Amino acid sequence: MRLHWQGPTLVVRTPAKLNLFLDVLGKRPDGYHELETLMVSIGLYDTLRFQTNESGRLELSLDAASPGITPAMRELLPLDERNLILKAAQLLRDYTGCAQGAFIQLSKSIPLQAGLGGGSSDAAAALVGLNHLWKLKLSSSELHSLAARLGSDVNFFLDSVPLALCRGRGEQVAAEPLTRPLHFVVVKPPGGLSTRDVFQSLHPQRLSCGSDAIRKAMQTGHPALIGAQLHNSLEVPAGVLSEEVASVLAALRSVSSVGRMMTGSGSSCFALCAHRGQAVRAAHVLRASCRGQVFVVQTAT
Ligand code: C5P
């Protein structure tokens, strides 16, 4: 996440993520699932612009030129209090007693219902941005406790770590070293998936495979070793809900021998590539053969 001022406007650029490994360890008494997941930030960004609003209201608008938003997606993006950005703003005000308002403009490039963490990343950007704009001086641990109330992935985006192992619901974040940049091609099929629906379709399966092998592979930085350890427990239930997931994975198999996987609860899938040139070539083939959006990205630092 990067913050800078443009005159009176605070600009925050916040990334998407991929899950290189996601293991569901079991269902918890609170209805959530216990997870172990390795998340990496990627160079696909939403931008939020914040200005103080003397009226004291919180007002969210969408930049009409948002490249990630198709007309069908627009309906999935409410700009009222259901939006996680405004939930984050209100939570900050409730927690601190601050009565200040804000104009917030969202420029969206990260697709919705995609498993790329866009909504969570925006919520984290709102916490960090408004903490700055309103000079609230909340500590990192206070922001983390608010983040966990907004969603399971919000904590990952707060500290701008390139790579982290996340546990609990996903909100317990431990940074991991990223030894070298990795290159991916990501495909978001036209249809999205609801995280809740995918978790509800999950049937308790085999024992956990553990993250040791992929963390060791990450230390080598070698794409082929990492690719062999990609895993996502949600890929099967997501595939039951969406035929597009299986067809995107098949298309990815034809363009990368290194490894491919669905990210998060889908519906986006990615192929890990040996280098950027391979990702660019793969994207060229996929744009001709797949419906949906195709992105060439590398890990964000
Ligand atoms: O935490 P978040 O709001 O992103 O989660 C959306 C939904 O996904 C939850 O309501 C829950 O149904 C499911 N979920 C889960 N276990 C997790 C994270 C999410 O069951 N660890």
Side-chain angles (χ1 to χ4, degrees):
M1 195 186 299
R2 299 245 163 91
L3 281 72
H4 71 271
W5 288 96
Q6 264 175 3
T9 307
L10 176 64
V11 183
V12 181
R13 201 176 70 138
T14 192
K17 57 86 177 164
L18 295 175
N19 301 76
L20 301 182
F21 177 90
L22 191 161
D23 213 2
V24 178
L25 305 177
K27 191 155 186 190
R28 309 176 357 159
D30 63 5
Y32 282 87
H33 291 80
E34 194 70 15
L35 304 182
E36 187 175 31
T37 180
L38 191 68
M39 300 217 273
V40 68
S41 297
I42 54 167
L44 171 66
Y45 300 93
D46 281 351
T47 302
L48 283 78
R49 293 183 171 79
F50 301 90
Q51 274 187 20
T52 49
N53 183 348
E54 300 305 336
S55 74
R57 282 197 295 276
L58 297 170
E59 297 180 54
L60 176 63
S61 61
L62 180 69
D63 179 352
S66 286
I69 296 294
T70 59
M73 280 183 198
R74 179 66 191 79
E75 285 172 26
L76 297 169
L77 188 66
L79 297 173
D80 57 21
E81 67 287 345
R82 288 169 295 168
N83 191 296
L84 264 190
I85 294 171
L86 290 182
K87 284 188 183 166
Q90 192 53 51
L91 190 59
L92 266 182
R93 295 210 299 192
D94 292 345
Y95 179 75
T96 58
C98 159
Q100 296 190 66
F103 292 110
I104 308 170
Q105 191 200 45
L106 170 64
S107 177
K108 193 118 193 85
S109 297
I110 307 172
L112 307 164
Q113 294 203 330
L116 296 168
S120 303
S121 190
D122 295 346
L127 288 177
V128 172
L130 292 172
N131 187 38
H132 210 69
L133 185 84
W134 292 337
K135 302 184 174 59
L136 300 174
K137 299 201 165 80
L138 293 193
S139 66
S140 166
S141 78
E142 284 173 301
L143 290 176
H144 271 282
S145 82
L146 297 181
R149 288 161 62 181
L150 290 165
S152 305
D153 287 346
V154 181
N155 296 76
F156 169 74
F157 293 103
L158 268 188
D159 296 332
S160 308
V161 289
L163 179 74
L165 187 68
C166 304
R167 293 201 165 95
R169 281 191 291 133
E171 87 287 13
Q172 297 164 21
V173 183
E176 294 266 315
L178 182 66
T179 48
R180 54 173 262 199
L182 297 174
H183 299 273
F184 303 93
V185 60
V186 180
V187 179
K188 160 68 179 55
L193 281 169
S194 135
T195 303
R196 176 186 288 258
D197 292 350
V198 174
F199 273 103
Q200 275 176 356
S201 311
L202 176 77
H203 297 294
Q205 312 152 327
R206 50 165 192 71
L207 290 170
S208 156
C209 54
S211 63
D212 288 353
I214 191 158
R215 290 164 68 203
K216 264 198 198 114
M218 288 299 287
Q219 280 165 20
T220 70
H222 200 293
L225 297 180
I226 298 164
Q229 301 301 333
L230 298 174
H231 167 76
N232 188 341
S233 301
L234 298 177
E235 201 175 85
V236 170
V240 171
L241 295 174
S242 161
E243 285 176 6
E244 290 175 336
V245 168
S247 66
V248 167
L249 285 168
L252 288 169
R253 195 166 297 119
S254 70
V255 294
S256 162
S257 55
V258 179
R260 82 275 332 150
M261 189 58 52
M262 187 184 81
T263 175
S265 54
S267 59
S268 304
C269 301
F270 62 92
L272 176 59
C273 298
H275 47 75
R276 183 174 160 82
Q278 190 182 72
V280 170
R281 278 198 296 281
H284 188 69
V285 173
L286 291 164
R287 284 190 183 112
S289 64
C290 287
R291 294 193 311 125
Q293 294 162 285
V294 179
F295 304 93
V296 173
V297 293
Q298 73 173 60
T299 42
T301 44

